[in-house]
Amino acid sequence: MARAINFNPGPAALPLAALERAQKELLDLNGTGMSVMEHSHRGKAYEAVHNEAIALVRELMGVPDNYDVLLLQGGASLQFAMVPMNLLPAGKSADYILTGSWSQKAYKEAKTVGTVRVAATTEKDKKFGRIPEQKELDLDPNAAYVHITSNNTIAGTQWHEFPDVGNVPLVADMSSDIMWRPIDVSKFGLIYAGAQKNLGPSGLAVVIVRKDLVASGRSDIPTILQYRTHADNNSLYNTPPTFGVYMLRNVLDELKKAGGLAAIERVNREKAKLLYDVIDERSDFYVSPVEKSARSTMNVVFTLKTPELEAEFLSEAQKRGMVGLKGHRSVGGMRASIYNAVSLEWVKALADFMREFKR
Ligand SMILES: *Cc1c(COP(=O)(O)O)cnc(C)c1O
């Protein structure tokens, strides 16, 4: 069986070993005679998986003790609503920095909940082709929080240095670059990520939130939408997406075996460099629409001269087993998503193909 060389933007490639482990354990989890999906979420077998997944998030990211790690349903999009519902009380306002369509969506959703401001936007700069500089940020020192999108999956830009927001909690949607490298979690009030890009299957979101923000969060909203409900119940308030959590565990276990975040960062940087080097080679056969300093290490966006050439590129790539290279429908062009599970070997194959196609 030939596995596709998968550059899908999300859901995306998963580590082969994590899938093979699931295959091996599918009918019988640790000698229990059942798959993980058939276990009670209150039983020992599932609980061990659940707690291991949370412990791995803590260990790999170095999550400090004063943070909760929550496993929630509803994807990143539910967090667009839960963040303001919990952290934006009446009489306060929240700042949003708009760097792409996902941050626009987060902003729009927050507007339905409370008062929000745009602290900066790069929409007019070649359609989100860059990340704002610190001096461009119009930050409200009394804001309830500042929201950013750390990696703009569609535009292909990424925050390489996080903004200084003073004492205001920084909230980051890290759906498409969580765990691509080590970060200092203590700089954030809350981090959230839908799992289906760098962590596992869809249907699961990881939320890392400072405990004081959980405690001070609003309690006049539905129970299921309060962070404290999930924090108080170890994310077992109701039935969690057990198979998704199991896969998260498998993926993170592989990441740990591969040396953790420092090791994956080296590989990720090498992968991104391979593709940007081809794009930057003399001639404008491939063009990156993104400012150099803002280029994403996860989603490499580029265009070719004509739609016909782009169609031919995709079709030739497909013949070589490479899939998922079409850009988002809203921006067109090409996009190679090279998340943690996309191997250096696959990216080398793509870089070689790009040179060959150009010739
Ligand atoms: C994919 C993505 C989302 C949407 O995630 P869902 O889980 O589908 O809600 C949100 N933000 C970013 C940055 C993304 O890449």
Side-chain angles (χ1 to χ4, degrees), residues 74-77 80 102 149 151 153 173 175-176 194 196-197:
S77 298
F80 294 168
W102 291 116
T149 309
N151 182 71
T153 326
D173 174 1
S175 293
S176 54
Q196 68 272 23
K197 280 123 189 180

Side-chain angles (χ1 to χ4, degrees), residues 9-11 74-80 101-103 105-106 149-154 173-177 192-197 202-205 299 335 339:
S77 298
L78 182 60
Q79 296 312 307
F80 294 168
S101 357
W102 291 116
S103 42
K105 281 202 171 142
T149 309
S150 57
N151 182 71
N152 298 283
T153 326
I154 296 172
D173 174 1
M174 294 196 182
S175 293
S176 54
D177 70 350
Y192 65 92
Q196 68 272 23
K197 280 123 189 180
S202 61
L204 173 68
N299 307 99
R335 169 176 52 175
Y339 303 122

